[in-house]
Amino acid sequence: MKTRGLIDIAELSTEEIDVMMDVAEDIIAHPQAYSELCKGKKLATLFYEPSTRTRLSFESAMLDLGGSVIGFSEASSASVSKGESVADTARVIECYADIIAMRHPKEGAPLVAQMNVDIPVINAGDGGHNHPTQTLTDLFTIKREIGHMDHLVIGCCGDLKFGRTVHSLVTAMSRYPGVKFIFISPEELRIPEHVRSEVLDAKNIPYMETTSLEDVIGELDILYMTRVQKERFFNEADYLRLRDSYILTPEKLISAKKDMRILHPLPRVNEISVAVDSDDRAAYFRQVTNGKIIRMALFLKLLGITK
Ligand code: NCD
């Protein structure tokens, strides 16, 4: 299904993603040429779940395009705490803003919002489901760091069950030829069955699953680390048991390829030792900058604005 906004990364064709990445490169080269393009436009950020990067990157992306921003960052400060539905909140916000970015703990909430308004709604993360703009960030980072998207061995490590960024990344990367996935997780946090059947098996994408990072690190072109998603666990004991399953250290990187890249959507808890940060292969802070730029390109696309 194609929506007016961006609810699922599968809504975007490879060509549309390529065009956005070209625009993003042009923004980096000529930021001044973009600084007024969204003058008079207003973004509403409706965040019902905690966020640092995602919300601030959406907001700074709109400000860097000359637009303005309204919104809330805690459900408790919004009318949802009085019992308002997502549909009603979206209808109200539509009277004030030109575009919405929504993060919500319930899967499908941004889609419900989109079905009730005519302005574009961007899914900024819905429960353990999807996170399409993090994926645009990841794709743009892979393009900039590695130079191409095809024929890559991508290792996804950590909480592959609840990690929505991994679900969207697998969907997006499986469109490029020659891509292979290695999923590294504890038994309890394996990649969900729906991602396996609807994406990997449906498209005949080669993948393997393992519990050992050390066994496979030498094969990887990209290592996508993720945090164990504490907020989606039902009990604290399970979280504590699984939290430290993988900790990437300089020692483990000795057997990795010299041109492998380490990505992480952040926040990091302790799955990457800070000693790794100074390794040239650590791309996760560069990834943050890319996230703002590609969101600028997305706003321009969804609002139909060209340079
Ligand atoms: C991710 C998310 O919210 O899913 N963070 C982000 O948007 N950069 C990953 C996470 O919270 O672990």
Side-chain angles (χ1 to χ4, degrees):
M1 185 180 62
K2 183 120 179 126
T3 68
R4 197 176 290 264
L6 179 63
I7 303 299
D8 188 315
I9 193 72
E11 290 174 59
L12 294 172
S13 69
T14 308
E15 291 68 37
E16 286 176 305
I17 294 174
D18 284 347
V19 169
M20 258 191 279
M21 294 204 280
D22 289 345
V23 171
E25 285 293 354
D26 197 54
I27 293 172
I28 292 170
H30 310 286
Q32 277 310 323
Y34 290 83
S35 63
E36 307 252 297
L37 287 186
C38 280
K39 209 168 174 181
K41 298 289 181 195
K42 213 183 279 168
L43 162 72
T45 49
L46 314 185
F47 275 59
Y48 296 81
E49 251 195 0
S51 166
T52 307
R53 255 150 313 273
T54 305
R55 185 172 58 83
L56 296 184
S57 72
F58 272 116
E59 294 184 356
S60 50
M62 184 49 93
L63 295 174
D64 286 0
L65 289 166
S68 54
V69 178
I70 56 171
F72 56 83
S73 55
E74 269 181 78
S76 60
S77 66
S79 276
V80 63
S81 62
K82 300 181 187 167
E84 187 169 58
S85 68
V86 163
D88 279 6
T89 303
R91 282 203 192 110
V92 169
I93 300 298
E94 186 180 27
C95 306
Y96 310 138
D98 301 284
I99 188 162
I100 291 174
M102 177 185 283
R103 168 169 288 193
H104 201 286
K106 282 215 183 86
E107 308 193 347
L111 178 60
V112 170
Q114 181 64 91
M115 282 158 49
N116 282 279
V117 296
D118 289 329
I119 61 172
V121 175
I122 303 171
N123 177 3
D126 61 332
H129 195 214
N130 276 322
H131 194 347
T133 61
Q134 179 63 46
T135 302
L136 288 176
T137 303
D138 301 340
L139 299 182
F140 188 43
T141 303
I142 293 170
K143 180 80 182 296
R144 299 203 89 211
E145 296 281 331
I146 301 200
H148 60 93
M149 316 296 288
D150 54 337
H151 296 91
L152 296 172
V153 179
I154 304 168
C156 300
C157 178
D159 185 346
L160 310 185
K161 179 177 180 190
F162 297 116
R164 56 193 172 195
T165 62
V166 171
H167 308 160
S168 292
L169 181 68
V170 170
T171 305
M173 285 308 291
S174 63
R175 67 179 76 206
Y176 298 101
V179 165
K180 179 183 163 190
F181 292 97
I182 301 185
F183 297 115
I184 308 138
S185 74
E187 199 52 43
E188 295 89 331
L189 299 178
R190 284 172 62 193
I191 191 95
E193 171 53 34
H194 72 89
V195 178
R196 267 181 278 166
S197 60
E198 288 163 28
V199 184
L200 297 162
D201 296 340
K203 294 188 177 173
N204 251 323
I205 311 291
Y207 69 93
M208 62 167 275
E209 296 184 88
T210 175
T211 53
S212 165
L213 176 58
E214 285 89 334
D215 283 359
V216 295
I217 196 166
E219 293 178 44
L220 307 179
D221 299 305
I222 294 160
L223 172 56
Y224 194 89
M225 293 295 294
T226 61
R227 156 184 88 87
V228 175
Q229 306 276 301
K230 179 179 182 188
E231 65 277 30
R232 310 212 193 281
F233 275 77
F234 292 112
N235 79 63
E236 176 90 2
D238 282 348
Y239 168 68
L240 293 175
R241 185 168 50 81
L242 295 169
R243 184 181 61 173
D244 299 331
S245 300
Y246 303 100
I247 299 178
L248 186 64
T249 57
E251 294 69 46
K252 286 188 191 150
L253 280 172
I254 291 170
S255 37
K257 290 184 186 171
K258 294 282 162 276
D259 56 356
M260 185 189 80
R261 287 292 183 276
I262 308 157
L263 273 63
H264 191 311
L266 303 179
R268 149 175 69 185
V269 183
N270 58 349
E271 57 282 347
I272 303 180
S273 137
V274 290
V276 171
D277 296 357
S278 53
D279 191 304
D280 286 344
R281 291 171 286 191
Y284 31 90
F285 289 114
R286 298 192 287 274
Q287 200 177 346
V288 176
T289 307
N290 295 336
K292 183 192 78 172
I293 306 288
I294 200 75
R295 287 180 174 98
M296 291 171 75
L298 177 65
F299 285 147
L300 294 174
K301 175 182 166 48
L302 296 178
L303 293 169
I305 297 170
T306 46
K307 193 166 74 162

